[in-house]
Amino acid sequence: MCWDEYRWLTNQILPWVDSAALFVILGAMPSSLEATDPTISRLIAQETERQASKLRLIPSENFASSAVLAATGSALTNKYSEGYYGRRYYEGQEFIDQIEELAIERAKAVFGSAHANVQPYSGSPANLAAYLAFCKPGDKVMGLHLPSGGHLTHGWKVSISGKFFEAVHYKVGKESGRVDLDEVRETALRERPKVLWAGGTAVPRTVDFAGFAEIAKECGALLFADIAHISGLVAGGAHPSPVGLADVVTTTTHKTLRGPRGGMIMASEEHAKAIDRAVFPGLQGGPHNHTTAALAVALHEAQQESFKTYAHQIVRNAKALATRLLEHGFELVSGGTDNHLILIDLTNKGLPGKVLAKALDSAGIVTNYNSVPYDPRKPFDPSGLRIGTPAVTTQGMCEPEMVKIADWMQQVADAPSDDGLHERIAGDVRDLCKAFPAPGVSG
Ligand SMILES: *Cc1c(COP(=O)(O)O)cnc(C)c1O
């Protein structure tokens, strides 16, 4: 319905109905998205329903709060603000400046960092900006090997970081499934990289940032800590912080930190200018102000006592899930978890990751298939399954629910093509999700 029709209608009706009735009429009117683009509107509604009715075990995903979603979908998307607060290239920044300053101050308070840049568009651009601040093409960089749980942006060959820099990697032990700092030290002293990355994307164990900082000092490297996955745990005190140990700390804002999709870089005062210049004008144009505002909201949420409870419960839930999976004979890389993430090696179950992930999805349990260290299978058809507890913890689930989830996973793994069983479990999952409504998507 267009505006003129709407006005005509209200003019016709207004004299005749009381305000309560008008409210009902307006409520029944299609939202402007639905009116403008029913196809996208329907697809968004379907995706929202999918998120509300399935168990989301992908460890990089979460549920942002309604407050975060509201800021994300605001008029701030209309504003250009190249530069930093107080130093912009466009007028009309009186409110945007306050928003960005608040986001920065809250980031500094939450993480205890001297400097924060909240403009990176996401985790990968944040890492690229960190390189740009300190490296030249051809410099040597060292990070965790991708099949050992490292991220593409830590020098993997298909990524710009592997194409523009000379990358060397350290791996997790074949038996231990863990990073061995003696091996990291040996490789770092031999290779003398400009940058040493700590952290990764499929790392179920605590990252020893203090140990990495010592090695970086010994070999003369800059230490970059990538806490994309664990920043919510760090903020909530459920994982040691790299702030004060690493030269640069990068993170996404949408994983355990539970904010909008975005990125952030933290550093000491000494590196502040280099980082800011690298983000803008080095790499990006105008910041995404709607995301900055939503990040400020998420960081405000992270300052509450309840966020600490959430962060610690994520870890307790992951441990409960891991324990039950072990009881069911699942093999876990490194034998368990210290954080939010579990990497299952399905080799002993005789199931490729993709087959189980698809079967689980039909049973209402959403996971992602993943390579395991030294995986003999191809990355697109790997041996592992990567799961995590951030989203289900945000829904308020605790240890008893984790046991239930592990039991369902076992039943599906035992009967990966039993459609009737999957359907039954999917129904039970829907009931469980109803009992633990997710912020922002349930009703
Ligand atoms: C997710 C992730 C990134 C990249 O984040 P995007 O927002 O997807 O670009 C970078 N590093 C690590 C360790 C990650 O897990």
Side-chain angles (χ1 to χ4, degrees):
M1 181 181 306
C2 75
W3 175 243
D4 282 344
E5 285 172 283
Y6 166 69
R7 205 161 42 192
W8 176 85
L9 189 68
T10 49
N11 283 342
Q12 297 303 304
I13 307 172
L14 257 180
W16 306 102
V17 293
D18 64 16
S19 57
L22 184 66
F23 190 76
V24 170
I25 292 167
L26 287 174
M29 279 180 49
S31 72
S32 62
L33 174 60
E34 202 176 326
T36 306
D37 192 336
T39 310
I40 288 294
S41 176
R42 174 176 50 80
L43 290 168
I44 292 176
Q46 287 173 323
E47 168 62 12
T48 307
E49 169 60 20
R50 188 193 68 82
Q51 292 184 15
S53 60
K54 287 191 167 189
L55 282 167
R56 300 171 60 239
L57 295 185
I58 294 174
S60 48
E61 294 186 0
N62 213 329
F63 292 101
S65 69
S66 304
V68 166
L69 294 181
T72 306
S74 69
L76 269 54
T77 199
N78 298 335
K79 184 71 193 117
Y80 243 105
S81 314
E82 281 180 1
Y84 291 99
Y85 72 85
R87 299 171 280 136
R88 306 279 190 187
Y89 294 81
Y90 297 77
E91 277 311 308
Q93 310 293 355
E94 56 268 44
F95 308 113
I96 298 294
D97 270 2
Q98 294 180 56
I99 288 167
E100 187 172 319
E101 187 178 4
L102 268 172
I104 290 169
E105 289 311 316
R106 288 175 186 172
K108 285 158 63 174
V110 166
F111 290 95
S113 174
H115 181 68
N117 187 306
V118 296
Q119 293 193 5
Y121 298 144
S122 212
S124 304
N127 287 353
L128 204 50
Y131 284 122
L132 184 61
F134 298 101
C135 300
K136 300 243 174 319
D139 278 353
K140 193 177 278 183
V141 303
M142 179 170 158
L144 181 58
H145 203 227
L146 187 95
S148 278
H151 194 258
L152 285 164
T153 55
H154 300 179
W156 195 242
K157 48 192 181 271
V158 298
S159 135
I160 185 171
S161 63
K163 292 180 194 289
F164 284 24
F165 304 110
E166 188 191 336
V168 291
H169 291 105
Y170 54 94
K171 299 177 178 175
V172 296
K174 206 163 187 173
E175 293 306 314
S176 69
R178 296 172 187 244
V179 171
D180 173 2
L181 281 187
D182 292 333
E183 189 215 313
V184 175
R185 173 177 287 107
E186 200 184 299
T187 312
L189 286 172
R190 185 178 67 239
E191 300 285 350
R192 300 269 166 192
K194 176 88 191 255
V195 165
L196 175 61
W197 282 102
T201 201
V203 178
R205 294 297 180 176
T206 302
V207 182
D208 181 356
F209 293 117
F212 271 99
E214 258 176 49
I215 295 169
K217 200 177 256 168
E218 280 172 49
C219 74
L222 289 160
L223 179 62
F224 288 4
D226 183 342
I227 59 168
H229 260 262
I230 55 171
S231 53
L233 303 185
V234 171
H239 189 290
S241 173
V243 172
L245 295 167
D247 295 282
V248 176
V249 178
T250 66
T251 184
T252 60
T253 52
H254 48 271
K255 296 181 182 174
T256 50
L257 192 57
R258 215 162 58 179
R261 302 201 80 81
M264 188 160 81
I265 306 178
M266 289 169 285
S268 61
E269 204 48 64
E270 165 197 13
H271 296 317
K273 262 208 175 112
I275 291 292
D276 283 355
R277 277 203 207 112
V279 174
F280 174 85
L283 190 65
Q284 300 187 167
H288 293 180
N289 296 311
H290 55 301
T291 304
T292 308
L295 173 57
V297 174
L299 290 165
H300 174 67
E301 292 172 351
Q303 287 174 312
Q304 310 308 311
E305 208 46 43
S306 56
F307 196 87
K308 286 198 187 101
T309 311
Y310 149 78
H312 284 95
Q313 190 61 45
I314 285 179
V315 178
R316 278 197 291 271
N317 281 350
K319 283 185 187 295
L321 188 54
T323 301
R324 190 64 170 177
L325 288 170
L326 287 168
E327 285 168 9
H328 284 310
F330 284 96
E331 272 181 15
L332 309 185
V333 172
S334 83
T337 181
D338 298 325
N339 53 28
H340 65 299
L341 185 147
I342 297 165
L343 193 55
I344 307 173
D345 185 341
L346 292 164
T347 310
N348 71 324
K349 294 268 179 190
L351 274 175
K354 212 172 186 171
V355 171
L356 183 56
K358 289 199 185 303
L360 284 170
D361 189 53
S362 69
I365 300 172
V366 193
T367 61
N368 80 275
Y369 40 93
N370 212 95
S371 292
V372 296
Y374 306 95
D375 202 328
R377 302 178 65 93
K378 296 243 167 351
F380 202 63
D381 186 20
S383 303
L385 206 62
R386 193 182 69 145
I387 59 174
T389 52
V392 291
T393 305
T394 294
Q395 283 174 279
M397 295 186 198
C398 290
E399 289 89 332
E401 287 72 41
M402 299 307 116
V403 171
K404 222 180 254 182
I405 293 171
D407 291 353
W408 285 328
M409 290 180 69
Q410 161 66 7
Q411 288 169 28
V412 174
D414 272 349
S417 40
D418 184 344
D419 295 340
L421 172 76
H422 302 174
E423 224 164 275
R424 261 199 320 280
I425 295 176
D428 291 345
V429 164
R430 264 194 301 278
D431 291 342
L432 182 66
C433 289
K434 266 202 201 101
F436 293 92
V441 304
S442 298

